[in-house]
């Protein structure tokens, strides 16, 4: 038992006012909230995309374990065309990019003509769109000056 009586305490909860730093951080968080939500969505799509990528590689491994008839000779011819392209492309770095890719494309189009036509159509459309965008950009720069 206490010899002295304790005085009755009257306590009140007083909330501290926010400092300028806390208010600034709060405003920044509210402004950045849509962007962080967008980043979270992108992260979700990227992680699901990596799952698709792993599925793609597992299917590729299965395909290489059980290839269709004549796949490896075709692959050898296309790869050899790329090596010949590297051999012919002495000197320029641009040649080292263009020659092997061109010769491999020609070799692949001999074995897979339908896919080559489909790729050529898409590539032609893309090149046309890019050239049109470049033309518009140059024209707008020319008119501004």
């Amino acid at each position: 038992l206490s010899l002295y009586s304790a005085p009755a305490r009257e306590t009140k909860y007083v909330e501290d006012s926010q400092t300028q730093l806390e208010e600034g951080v709060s405003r920044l968080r509210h402004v950045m909230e849509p962007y962080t939500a967008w980043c979270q969505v992108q992260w979700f799509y990227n992680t699901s995309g990596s799952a698709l990528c792993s599925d793609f590689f597992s299917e590729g491994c299965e395909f290489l374990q059980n290839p269709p008839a004549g796949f490896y000779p075709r692959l050898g011819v296309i790869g050899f065309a790329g090596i010949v392209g590297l051999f012919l492309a002495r000197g320029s770095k641009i040649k080292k990019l263009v020659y092997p890719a061109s010769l491999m494309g020609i070799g692949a189009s001999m074995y897979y003509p339908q896919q080559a036509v489909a790729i050529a159509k898409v590539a032609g459309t893309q090149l046309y769109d890019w050239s049109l965008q470049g033309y518009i950009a140059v024209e707008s720069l020319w008119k501004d000056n």
Side-chain angles (χ1 to χ4, degrees):
L1 294 173
S2 173
L3 295 175
Y4 304 104
S5 63
R9 295 188 182 177
E10 294 182 22
T11 59
K12 283 187 186 177
Y13 175 74
V14 179
E15 188 172 325
D16 292 334
S17 61
Q18 287 187 337
T19 64
Q20 287 181 346
L21 177 64
E22 290 172 334
E23 288 177 10
V25 169
S26 175
R27 272 187 260 135
L28 179 66
R29 288 180 69 187
H30 287 295
V31 168
M32 296 300 290
E33 188 173 7
Y35 303 110
T36 56
W38 178 81
C39 289
Q40 288 173 348
V41 168
Q42 293 302 319
W43 175 258
F44 172 75
Y45 285 130
N46 286 340
T47 55
S48 62
S50 66
L52 291 174
C53 186
S54 67
D55 292 342
F56 173 75
F57 283 116
S58 64
E59 289 175 6
C61 289
E62 290 175 14
F63 178 79
L64 290 177
Q65 289 173 353
N66 301 317
F71 174 73
Y72 286 121
R74 292 177 180 181
L75 184 65
V77 169
I78 295 169
F80 183 71
I83 293 171
V84 169
L86 281 175
F87 179 73
L88 294 175
R90 292 185 183 166
S92 173
K93 290 182 181 180
I94 301 224
K95 284 183 185 178
K96 289 181 182 178
L97 290 174
V98 172
Y99 284 11
S102 302
L103 290 177
M104 288 175 70
I106 291 169
S109 66
M110 288 188 322
Y111 289 115
Y112 305 103
Q114 293 171 341
Q115 290 87 347
V117 168
I119 290 172
K121 285 181 182 178
V122 171
T125 305
Q126 288 291 327
L127 284 174
Y128 177 74
D129 290 342
W130 289 343
S131 65
L132 190 60
Q133 288 174 0
Y135 176 77
I136 291 170
V138 169
E139 185 181 33
S140 67
L141 286 173
W142 186 266
K143 285 183 180 179
D144 289 344
N145 291 335

